Amino acid sequence: MSDLIQKPTKKRLLDRKGAAAPQQTYKAEVSEDKTVESKSTAQKETSNKRSAKNSVNMGSSTVRVSNLTKNKLSALVTMGKADSADAIISTMIDEYLELFSSNERKEYELIRDVLMMKHSK
């Protein structure tokens, strides 16, 4: 016990300073040029969100995706681009289907209908 009193305290390896402060802060600013474009895209998004909401309420399932994809979806939901990851995926699928030719779209609808019949049994 007497050794503890006689030994000098250890010198600290790091000298602590004040709290760190960021050099720049993030500001979400929208330029005037983008507001005109965003109004037209906002109308499209609301119609897509409505159609996505209607098709989303059919039950739930699990889909395996990478953590990167999960984080991307979570970021979009956090930004307020949609109410849920399911709505985002539905919107993206709808937009992707618009690129299909009529034959591909018919094939897709046929496969989807068969899968829906399986699911309903």
Side-chain angles (χ1 to χ4, degrees):
M1 178 108 159
S2 63
D3 289 341
L4 294 175
I5 297 172
Q6 294 175 357
K7 289 184 180 179
T9 59
K10 293 183 180 180
K11 182 180 176 184
R12 293 184 178 221
L13 298 177
L14 293 175
D15 292 329
R16 303 285 180 194
K17 297 190 178 176
Q23 293 177 352
Q24 295 178 349
T25 57
Y26 173 76
K27 294 181 182 178
E29 296 178 7
V30 178
S31 67
E32 294 177 16
D33 298 335
K34 292 182 181 178
T35 56
V36 174
E37 294 173 8
S38 65
K39 287 180 183 178
S40 63
T41 57
Q43 292 173 348
K44 291 180 184 176
E45 287 177 5
T46 54
S47 64
N48 286 340
K49 283 182 185 178
R50 288 180 190 150
S51 65
K53 280 185 180 179
N54 293 339
S55 64
V56 166
N57 299 329
M58 300 182 78
S60 65
S61 181
T62 303
V63 177
R64 288 183 160 237
V65 295
S66 67
N67 282 331
L68 178 62
T69 303
K70 179 188 69 120
N71 292 337
K72 288 178 182 180
L73 287 169
S74 295
L76 289 170
V77 171
T78 303
M79 288 174 60
K81 298 297 180 184
D83 294 333
S84 66
D86 199 16
I88 292 172
I89 293 170
S90 293
T91 302
M92 289 182 179
I93 289 172
D94 291 340
E95 290 178 5
Y96 186 74
L97 290 175
E98 290 176 5
L99 302 174
F100 281 7
S101 66
S102 61
N103 290 336
E104 289 174 324
R105 188 168 291 144
K106 286 179 185 177
E107 181 181 1
Y108 165 78
E109 289 173 357
L110 179 66
I111 295 170
R112 184 196 61 202
D113 291 341
V114 168
L115 292 171
M116 292 297 283
M117 287 174 35
K118 278 183 168 180
H119 179 64
S120 65
K121 289 184 179 182

